[in-house]
Amino acid sequence: MFDSLIFLKIASILFIFLTLTISIIIVKIFRLQKRGWNFADIAFPLFAFEFYLISDKTYYNSLLPHLVLTLAILSIGLAIFFLLKKKDFTYKRFFKIFWRSSFILTFLLYLALVIAVFTLK
């Protein structure tokens, strides 16, 4: 059922809107704004899972190691930025900025994956 290319194209587009909608609804229902959470904090692991799911079904191997490698490079870059430019490194601030920037990176990689899926024949 999930191996059909047309189904993968439809599912990959729907995942974008469903993930963002569900994460916004969860933040509103549980009032997570008071704790400093926003929709990106919930959508990041969902997009990472969807990235694995779509890439695993589309290609011979999953592209999840590429995502993990880019996140590792992002964390090294952020650590260097905090140590050299800010001269102040706190784990709480590092993790919060890493988590939010990881959402942006994962979202962009997922969009690139969706475009790649649509270019397949």
Side-chain angles (χ1 to χ4, degrees):
M1 177 178 131
F2 198 64
D3 294 331
S4 172
L5 190 59
I6 295 171
F7 183 76
L8 278 172
K9 290 178 181 181
I10 294 170
S12 64
I13 288 292
L14 286 178
F15 277 155
I16 294 172
F17 299 111
L18 287 176
T19 301
L20 294 175
T21 306
I22 288 171
S23 60
I24 289 171
I25 289 172
I26 288 174
V27 167
K28 298 261 185 200
I29 287 177
F30 294 113
R31 296 184 183 116
L32 296 175
Q33 304 98 335
K34 294 179 182 178
R35 295 184 179 178
W37 287 34
N38 65 11
F39 75 96
D41 298 331
I42 296 172
F44 165 58
L46 294 175
F47 273 126
F49 175 72
E50 292 162 5
F51 184 84
Y52 164 73
L53 192 67
I54 297 296
S55 68
D56 188 42
K57 296 296 179 182
T58 304
Y59 300 109
Y60 183 72
N61 291 325
S62 173
L63 297 177
L64 191 62
H66 298 279
L67 177 65
V68 171
L69 179 66
T70 56
L71 291 176
I73 292 170
L74 174 70
S75 66
I76 291 170
L78 281 174
I80 290 171
F81 173 74
F82 278 123
L83 291 174
L84 295 180
K85 296 288 183 178
K86 297 285 185 180
K87 307 273 191 227
D88 180 34
F89 186 86
T90 58
Y91 287 111
K92 184 178 179 182
R93 180 143 175 86
F94 170 78
F95 188 69
K96 186 173 184 176
I97 291 176
F98 171 72
W99 195 263
R100 301 259 170 99
S101 57
S102 295
F103 162 72
I104 294 169
L105 184 65
T106 305
F107 182 72
L108 292 176
L109 285 174
Y110 184 76
L111 284 179
L113 178 67
V114 170
I115 292 168
V117 166
F118 272 91
T119 59
L120 292 176
K121 293 183 181 181

